[in-house]
Amino acid sequence: MNDCGCDKARQDLEEYLRNEVCKTEHTEIREHIENCASCQGEALVASTLTEVVARACKETAPEELRDIVLTKLRAAQAAAH
């Protein structure tokens, strides 16, 4: 079986998107993705998902909600002891 680079690109896609691969691998994966429609689609889905999760992690709950949750957590901890 002749691998055209898809296996390597898909295996390292997450690390590639986080810039956690060496410069040589980064260039090879980038070039492969630029020339492979299937891997382009997969990279787009993965990068979009990564961006959405990162954005969600930066959001904070309204102060009222945090107070309610903390109050219930403290009550649950007190009941457990």
Side-chain angles (χ1 to χ4, degrees), residues 6-81:
C6 291
D7 289 343
K8 173 73 174 152
R10 289 179 177 154
Q11 176 183 334
D12 295 331
L13 185 58
E14 287 183 38
E15 290 83 2
Y16 167 78
L17 292 172
R18 291 190 307 257
N19 292 316
E20 295 176 351
V21 293
C22 75
K23 192 171 185 175
T24 302
E25 285 183 344
H26 190 276
T27 301
E28 290 172 0
I29 294 168
R30 179 182 45 79
E31 288 175 358
H32 175 80
I33 290 172
E34 287 174 355
N35 296 299
C36 179
S38 176
C39 287
Q40 281 176 11
E42 194 164 328
L44 178 61
V45 169
S47 64
T48 302
L49 180 59
T50 300
E51 289 172 19
V52 168
V53 170
R55 199 173 330 122
C57 289
K58 291 179 183 174
E59 294 179 8
T60 58
E63 193 152 334
E64 277 181 15
L65 177 59
R66 285 192 309 234
D67 290 343
I68 291 169
V69 170
L70 287 174
T71 300
K72 290 188 178 208
L73 285 172
R74 287 182 185 121
Q77 286 176 339
H81 292 279

